[in-house]
Amino acid sequence: MEKFTTLKGIVAPLDRANVDTDAIIPKQFLKSIKRAGFGPNLFDEWRYLDHGEPGRDNSHRPLNPGFVLNQPCYKGASILLARDNFGCGSSREHAPWALEDYGFRALIAPSYADIFYNNCFKNSLLPIVLDGTIVDRLFNEVATTPGYSLAIDLTAQHITTPTGARFSFEVDAFRKHCLLNGLDDIGLTLQHTGDIKRYEAHRQTETPWLFSYPGGTIDDDVSSIVPPG
Amino acid sequence: MTGKTLYDKLWDAHVVRVEPDGTTLLYIDRHLVHEVTSPQAFEGLRLAGRKPWRRDANLAVADHNVPTTDRDKPVADPVSRLQIETLDDNCAEFGITEFKMNDVRQGIVHVIGPEQGATLPGMTVVCGDSHTSTHGAFAALAQGIGTSEVEHVLATQCLLQKKVKNMRISVDGALAPGITAKDIVLAIIGKIGTAGGTGYVIEYAGSAIRALSMEGRMTVCNMSIEAGARCGIIAVDDTTIAYLKDRPYAPQGKLWEQAVAAWRALKSDDDAAFDKEVQLDAAGIKPQVSWGTSPEMVTTIDGRVPDPMQEKDSVKRGGMERALVYMGLKPGTAITDIALDKIFIGSCTNARIEDLRAAAHVARGRKVAKNIKLAMVVPGSGLVKLQAEKEGLDKIFLDAGFEWRAPGCSMCLAMNADRLEPGERCASTSNRNFEGRQGQGGRTHLVSPAMAAAAAIAGHFVDVTKLQVASSK
C-alpha cells in the first residue's frame, strides 16, 4: 500500500448527503475482475449524460456540465468535501478504488458509512471526519475561493486552510500507523500466526461442531445437481 | 458488574489478540464468497504466493451476475460470464467448495448460507457483500466486508476491527394481519434514518421479533445495513434451533446436542446495558412504501409524498427535492395514486419460501394489471424454487401473469439482464431505492412481497391489509 503522510490539494465539493456506493461506481463496472481502471467511471451516472458500460472509451462521452467534477476549477482535485453518511450502501471496495483511481487521496465529511470508511484505509485514501459546522464552513469557503486548497498532515492530525485556520481530526492509532508506513494488513496479521493457531486449537475444543462441516469438503457429493430450469 | 449483550458475547468469543488502541484480530468462522467482490482478492493471494488459511470455512456461489432465464445456455454477457468463470476457476485452484450456477443449491449467497445450515449461531460470518447482516438472525456476528478484507480473511481467517457500540431495537406487541417483517424494518429505518445505526451493532428484540419466523428475522437483519449498522442480531430461541435441525451443514447427533446447549446461551443478559435503545409499537406499523431515493424516505400506504418545503434542514431539503425530481413525483401525491410499470419479487431481503407464499396468497386467482409491463418472481435459491413448485406457487404466479425465473440477485441491483429502463417505476421487494440501483433512471419503491403482489394486481399501490379483508368475505 502507498504511504500517506501529508497532502496539499484542490478541494472539490459534493454537496449532498447519503451519497451511496451505487452512485460512486455503478454496478455494471463491478463486472471487472481487476482492481484498477475505475476512475473514468467514478460517479458515472452523474458525470456523463449517456449510459456508461464497461470497456467503453469514456473520453468521447458527453459530460454533464452541471456536475461538480466537470467544472474546470476542480480539475486535478485530490480532496473531496462531502456531507453526512458518505459511502452508504453496498460494501463494494470498487468505490474507494474509483475515488483513488480518479485522483482523490483524502475525503472530508461529517460522517461516513462504516464499511466504506474501513475500505478507504485499505487503499491509502484518508477519510477525515470533521464536525458538521466546520464542514459547512469549508463548503462556504470552497464556493467563494477559486482554487481553494487544503493542507492535510496525518502525523499531526490536522488540516490547514489557505488563510491558516487549522482543524484537528481523529484517526485510530493503528490505522494511522498503517497509512503512514504503507503497511500491508495481511503481512502484519501473519506475524501473529502463532496466536491464530492457538486460538483455533482452543476453539476446536470449545466448539467442535464449527470444525466438522458434513458438507464442507471439496469432494462434495454432486449427485444432487440438477439444473434449476 | 453489568451483564453482557449478545454482541459482547459474540465479540469476546472471537478475540485472537488486541492492539494497544483496541484494534482487534477477530477470528472468522464462516466466509461466504461470490463472484463480484472476490476476483481481486484471489489475485492478491496468487501474487503473494499465499493459500487460504482454512479452506472448509469458505463457501462460494455466483449470484450477482447470473441470468434468471436460459440457464441451460452459456451466460450471454461475456463480461458477466468471465466473472462467473473466474469464480469457478479460483474455487477450483484454491480448493474452495462452490455451488455452481446449475447446482440446485445455487442461489443468493444470503439465502443459501442459512438454508444449508452453513450459517450457525455463535459464528462470525463475513462476505464481500453488505447484506451479510442477514445471517445475524441466527445470533451470528455477520458483516459485510470489502475485497481487501476478503483477501485478509482468506489468508489469515481473521479480520482487523475495533468493537462498536450496542443498540437494542425492541418491537413489542402484535402485528396487524398482512403486516410483515419488511414493514417492521422499513418502519425502523424510517424512524432512525439510514445512518441511525452507524457505529452500532443492532440487536432486534421484543415480542414482535420473537414471533417472526427465521425468514422474517432474516428480512429484518438484512436491512440493518440500510440503517447504517454493519450487523443486526437476534437471540437464539426454539425457532432458531428448529430451523437449523437436519440442515446439510448443521452438526448432527452428539455434536448437535452439544451445539444446541451452547447456543441457548446466545442472548443478552437481563442486566446488559445498551448504548442506545429504540422502541417500536408493533400494532402501530402499517404497510410501508418508500417514495424517495434512500430507504429512510419511506411512508405508509395511507400516506402522501412529503413536501420538501416543510423540511427545515437545508441539506435534507435538497436531498428530498432531488429525490422527487428523480422519482418523478409531486409533493402531496397519495401513495395509492402512484402507478407502476414493473414488479420485482426477489432479493436477499425477500426471496425465501415464506415471501413467495405471501405474494402467491395475494396473487392467487387474480391477474396482473394491464399497465404492468413485467412482473417477475425470482426465488432466492434453487431449493426455494423447488419447494415453491412443490406447493404449486409457480402455477399461481404464472396463471396471474407473473414470470417465474431462476434464482439470483437479479433486479435488486441489475447486474444481469434484469433491469429497469430509464423512467420506469417498480414496486420491489429488494432493499435499496438508490438512484440507478435497478437500472439507470429506474425508479424503485421498496415494499413487502404481499404489497408488491397487490400492486401488480392493481397496477398501483394498494393497502394489502384491506385487499385481504375483501377477498376473505
Side-chain angles (χ1 to χ4, degrees), chain A residues 15-18 20 22 27 30-35 45-46 50-51 53 83 85 89-94 97 112 114-115 118-119 122 172-174 184-187 189-190 192-193 195-197 199-200 203 208-218 220-221 224-229, chain B residues 13-15 17 21 23 25 27 29-30 36 40 50 53-54 56 65 77 79-80 83 95 97 102-105 122-123 128-130 144-149 151-152 156 162 194 198-199 230 248-249 251 255 258-259 262-263 296 315 322 385 406 413-415 432 434-437 439-440:
Chain A
D15 195 3
R16 50 170 91 185
N18 299 318
D20 58 76
D22 275 82
K27 84 283 311 241
L30 272 51
K31 294 180 188 182
S32 167
I33 56 171
K34 299 197 171 73
R35 209 179 177 116
E45 290 183 8
W46 293 343
D50 64 348
H51 177 75
E53 280 295 330
R83 292 288 186 183
N85 202 26
S90 138
S91 64
R92 59 188 73 168
E93 198 164 318
H94 311 68
W97 292 342
Y112 302 88
D114 282 342
I115 304 178
N118 193 46
N119 284 341
K122 315 289 181 189
D172 283 345
F174 183 79
D184 160 30
D185 274 358
I186 297 177
T189 297
L190 287 174
H192 306 300
T193 296
D195 290 335
I196 304 172
K197 290 210 157 128
Y199 172 87
E200 222 166 30
R203 188 140 178 89
W209 58 88
L210 293 180
F211 292 82
S212 79
Y213 302 125
T217 67
I218 52 164
D220 217 343
D221 176 20
S224 64
I225 295 177
V226 289
Chain B
H14 289 88
V15 173
R17 58 171 277 125
D21 77 338
T23 302
L25 203 55
Y27 190 79
D29 296 309
R30 172 63 75 196
V36 178
Q40 298 87 350
R50 290 174 177 139
W53 180 278
R54 203 183 128 201
D56 72 347
N65 272 283
D77 175 356
V79 193
S80 288
Q83 198 164 51
T97 303
N102 284 336
D103 185 320
V104 72
R105 299 167 298 179
M123 274 184 165
D129 190 285
S130 60
I145 56 176
T147 298
S148 293
E149 289 182 319
E151 186 181 340
H152 193 273
T156 70
K162 268 180 132 170
T194 50
T198 304
R230 283 178 88 153
Y249 280 64
L255 272 183
Q258 197 184 343
W263 294 344
E296 70 184 14
V315 175
R322 258 194 307 275
K385 184 168 186 280
L413 86 165
M415 264 190 92
R432 290 189 175 132
F434 298 155
E435 285 184 25
R437 172 77 179 182
Q440 189 165 7

Side-chain angles (χ1 to χ4, degrees), chain A:
Chain A
M1 193 172 76
E2 210 178 319
K3 286 183 189 177
F4 188 111
T5 48
T6 58
L7 171 71
K8 187 167 191 302
I10 293 175
V11 181
L14 186 60
D15 195 3
R16 50 170 91 185
N18 299 318
V19 171
D20 58 76
T21 54
D22 275 82
I24 297 173
I25 183 81
K27 84 283 311 241
Q28 63 269 35
F29 305 106
L30 272 51
K31 294 180 188 182
S32 167
I33 56 171
K34 299 197 171 73
R35 209 179 177 116
F38 295 100
N41 300 109
L42 174 71
F43 299 118
D44 197 273
E45 290 183 8
W46 293 343
R47 195 165 147 199
Y48 300 99
L49 293 170
D50 64 348
H51 177 75
E53 280 295 330
R56 231 179 118 181
D57 176 11
N58 297 289
S59 58
H60 301 296
R61 293 177 58 198
L63 294 171
N64 172 8
F67 185 58
V68 64
L69 294 187
N70 291 331
Q71 292 164 24
C73 56
Y74 301 121
K75 199 171 154 55
S78 58
I79 300 169
L80 185 67
L81 182 64
R83 292 288 186 183
D84 266 312
N85 202 26
F86 187 83
C88 61
S90 138
S91 64
R92 59 188 73 168
E93 198 164 318
H94 311 68
W97 292 342
L99 287 160
E100 194 269 343
D101 197 58
Y102 178 89
F104 287 115
R105 295 294 315 281
L107 312 171
I108 298 173
S111 64
Y112 302 88
D114 282 342
I115 304 178
F116 172 83
Y117 181 76
N118 193 46
N119 284 341
C120 287
F121 285 98
K122 315 289 181 189
N123 295 282
S124 8
L125 185 65
L126 177 64
I128 294 172
V129 179
L130 288 179
D131 190 76
T133 54
I134 300 172
V135 170
D136 278 343
R137 172 178 164 169
L138 295 179
F139 267 103
N140 286 333
E141 291 182 4
V142 171
T144 53
T145 319
Y148 188 85
S149 68
L150 287 169
I152 297 170
D153 185 335
L154 176 58
T155 310
Q157 290 182 218
H158 60 57
I159 67 165
T160 311
T161 72
T163 54
R166 190 165 276 184
F167 304 105
S168 58
F169 60 87
E170 294 297 316
V171 58
D172 283 345
F174 183 79
R175 282 174 163 148
K176 179 179 174 182
H177 172 72
C178 290
L179 273 185
L180 286 174
N181 298 288
L183 296 176
D184 160 30
D185 274 358
I186 297 177
L188 281 181
T189 297
L190 287 174
Q191 291 174 7
H192 306 300
T193 296
D195 290 335
I196 304 172
K197 290 210 157 128
R198 265 189 298 282
Y199 172 87
E200 222 166 30
H202 166 75
R203 188 140 178 89
Q204 200 150 5
T205 326
E206 296 277 303
T207 58
W209 58 88
L210 293 180
F211 292 82
S212 79
Y213 302 125
T217 67
I218 52 164
D219 305 310
D220 217 343
D221 176 20
V222 292
S223 59
S224 64
I225 295 177
V226 289

